[in-house]
Amino acid sequence: MRFYAGACRFVYNKALALQKERYERGEKKLSYVQLSKLLTEWRNSEELAWLANAPVHPLQQKLKDLEKAYANFFAKRADFPRFKKKERCQDSFRYPDPKAFKLDQDNNRIYLPKIGWVRYRNSRKVLGELRNVTVSFKSGKWFVSIQTRREVEKPIPKGGIVGIDLGVAQFATLSDGTFYAPINSFKRHQDSLRKAQQAMSRKVKFSKNWEKAKIKVQRIHARIANIRQDFLHKTSTAISKSHAIVCIEDLQVQNMSKSAAGTKESPGKNVQAKSGLNRSILDQGWYEFRRQLEYKLTWNGGRLILVPPQNTSRTCPCCGHISEDNRPTQDKFECVECGFKNNADLVGAINILSRGIQILRDEGQDTTDALVGMLAGSLPASARMACGSNRTGGRKQEPTETVAYGGNYA
Ligand SMILES: [Zn+2]
């Protein structure tokens, strides 16, 4: 399996190098069909004859993956495709043809072409018609993922519409005042990660002890990733189960994965700590969160709405005034026009919600009473009063209290 994964990585990198050269020379990139033909040539060549020992479908899949990576890059959804490194431990290969493998669930075994029957530990029952199988290697373990297709009854979504502001101080703030605190359990892992990395740097590179130290570092990375994934899943499940429509900012992937640095509007507090060491810890996983929310909402019959992110943190939800001065500090919002005060993240979430409702209206959806009521309901009473008071007079009557919203820690 390691050999197959290595062959796949080799083909991906070779094709990427080729495309990169063409890109730099200003030539058109090769299509999947052209690359596929090249792959056949490589497999038949004397120099790369060893590639013929790996199953051809997984190799072709890698070319398709590369095609997708390019498409994502040109659509500005992702960075330029990167070479796959062995050290990064993301080896995987996929069998796209369901006729090529067999699944024997009763005996917990799967038949893979050119490999034979392999035992596995079942995490859940495989339901429906088999589509493809992916074999991957992560922090010392091999995994097999089986994709299937089946008919399910269209569920009726539960709950109403909500806006979510993703941030650094709070992981997620909902327009109804609920918030999800970020995971803080990384401190301990941060220390042990640093120690493990230091220990590794003291060893002679590629020596036995270095390899051992490396495994230790990888395990801590995996642990951090698992904790985050668990947190993201719990949060996205909770939100998608209780809401039919969720509105979220349409941020570029780059901004979402570089969340620690914050945005120009709201810079992160931990920028100086954003070294290579801490990157895995500071990455909040916003993009992954959005991905999970989207598919979980779809499963539940709901929907995710992406709203334009411009000025969500500077617009007054009360009078509509847009100004940088509305944000005197990172977590405070105070409108210079009408005096409306509130927590900045909550203001962001309310603005995101109202933009989501606008999108529904533009689509011609029924956004009458129920939805608008929900928007009004998410504005605290003091805010509505503040708006009225501004129209009749001075700023002396501005609200003096901000709403203390109830915590809902995940
Ligand atoms: Zn205002």
Side-chain angles (χ1 to χ4, degrees), residues 316 319 335 338:
C316 176
C319 72
C335 178
C338 75

Side-chain angles (χ1 to χ4, degrees), residues 161-182 231 235 239 243 246-249 284 286 289 293 312-313 327 330-331 342-353 378 380 403-410:
I161 184 168
V162 76
I164 304 182
D165 182 71
L166 297 177
V168 177
Q170 298 295 349
F171 173 75
T173 305
L174 274 55
S175 53
D176 62 8
T178 313
F179 62 87
Y180 293 87
F231 168 79
T235 312
I239 294 174
H243 296 95
V246 174
C247 313
I248 204 165
E249 280 178 306
Q284 305 243 13
W286 288 347
F289 180 67
L293 257 186
T312 46
S313 61
R327 284 281 291 278
Q330 177 74 23
D331 55 348
N342 215 318
N343 173 282
D345 293 333
L346 181 57
V347 166
I350 292 169
N351 284 330
I352 289 165
L353 171 63
S378 63
V403 170
Y405 49 86
N408 183 1
Y409 289 88

Side-chain angles (χ1 to χ4, degrees), residues 315-322 326 333-341 387 390:
T315 307
C316 176
C318 201
C319 72
H321 181 68
I322 301 168
N326 286 349
F333 184 96
E334 188 172 357
C335 178
V336 291
E337 199 60 35
C338 75
F340 167 66
K341 269 190 202 171
C387 256
N390 188 45

Side-chain angles (χ1 to χ4, degrees), residues 286-304:
W286 288 347
Y287 180 70
E288 173 63 11
F289 180 67
R290 184 173 101 184
R291 190 187 71 83
Q292 290 178 5
L293 257 186
E294 184 154 30
Y295 79 72
K296 286 180 188 178
L297 281 164
T298 311
W299 278 354
N300 295 339
R303 172 181 172 190
L304 184 76

Side-chain angles (χ1 to χ4, degrees), residues 349-362:
I350 292 169
N351 284 330
I352 289 165
L353 171 63
S354 74
R355 285 177 193 192
I357 290 176
Q358 190 55 49
I359 287 175
L360 287 174
R361 274 195 196 128
D362 293 345

